[in-house]
Amino acid sequence: FIVRITRPLVTPVRRIVPSIGEWDTASLVLIFFLELLATLVLVNIACAGTAGFSEIISLTVPRAMHLVLNLYFFMILIYVIFSWVSPGTYSPVIALLTRIIQPVMQPFQRWIPPVAGFDLSPLFAILAIQVAMMLLPIDSVLSGLLCGSAGRML
């Protein structure tokens, strides 16, 4: 389903941008350019100052990182809820979520052993994602662009 929806956007980019190892760089480039477009529109609407190319890029990169981290946060949360609701059963949604979040979860699963049969690695992965999202410098760039309260939607 997801592949069918994103194929028209990602396929042309894959012809230009090759994959690097297991990383689908075409999808990452597409996320960056879509976020760049959204940032340009929102900065022109919400900010009083005019933004140069460097300010737009310095806002786009953390916004794209924030988007990816937020997606991982919610995917891990959904994975945990599904594991509580129906443990041990097969679901294609869970199989897809497992494949997507496995690169993030694997280091935590290696370092943190299960405690009394409970896998605490999602808790630490979510905590690390939240700390990373707090460290992104979005607010400092916004204040330099004279973005008021409407700039918080960025």
Side-chain angles (χ1 to χ4, degrees):
F1 175 73
I2 294 173
V3 173
R4 260 190 312 196
I5 291 174
T6 58
R7 184 176 294 151
L9 293 172
V10 176
T11 302
V13 179
R14 280 196 182 122
R15 293 183 188 133
I16 300 167
V17 180
S19 293
I20 298 174
E22 292 185 13
W23 289 88
D24 185 11
T25 52
S27 296
L28 294 174
V29 167
L30 187 63
I31 287 172
F32 177 77
F33 280 113
L34 289 174
E35 193 63 45
L36 177 68
L37 181 65
T39 303
L40 278 170
V41 169
L42 291 174
V43 163
N44 285 328
I45 290 171
C47 299
T50 57
F53 182 72
S54 63
E55 285 111 353
I56 295 294
I57 294 298
S58 66
L59 186 57
T60 300
V61 171
R63 277 180 45 101
M65 291 170 61
H66 191 273
L67 174 69
V68 170
L69 289 170
N70 216 4
L71 285 172
Y72 270 107
F73 170 78
F74 283 108
M75 285 189 286
I76 292 171
L77 193 63
I78 291 169
Y79 174 79
V80 167
I81 291 170
F82 267 110
S83 72
W84 289 341
V85 172
S86 60
T89 59
Y90 175 78
S91 169
V93 173
I94 296 299
L96 176 67
L97 280 176
T98 303
R99 285 188 62 200
I100 293 172
I101 67 171
Q102 194 60 33
V104 173
M105 296 290 294
Q106 198 169 24
F108 293 103
Q109 289 171 340
R110 218 175 316 136
W111 295 331
I112 303 164
V115 176
F118 290 108
D119 183 16
L120 297 178
S121 59
L123 175 70
F124 288 97
I126 285 175
L127 184 65
I129 287 170
Q130 289 297 316
V131 167
M133 286 185 355
M134 284 185 232
L135 293 175
L136 290 175
I138 295 174
D139 288 335
S140 63
V141 176
L142 285 175
S143 64
L145 291 175
L146 301 174
C147 295
S149 61
R152 294 294 152 223
M153 68 179 153
L154 293 172

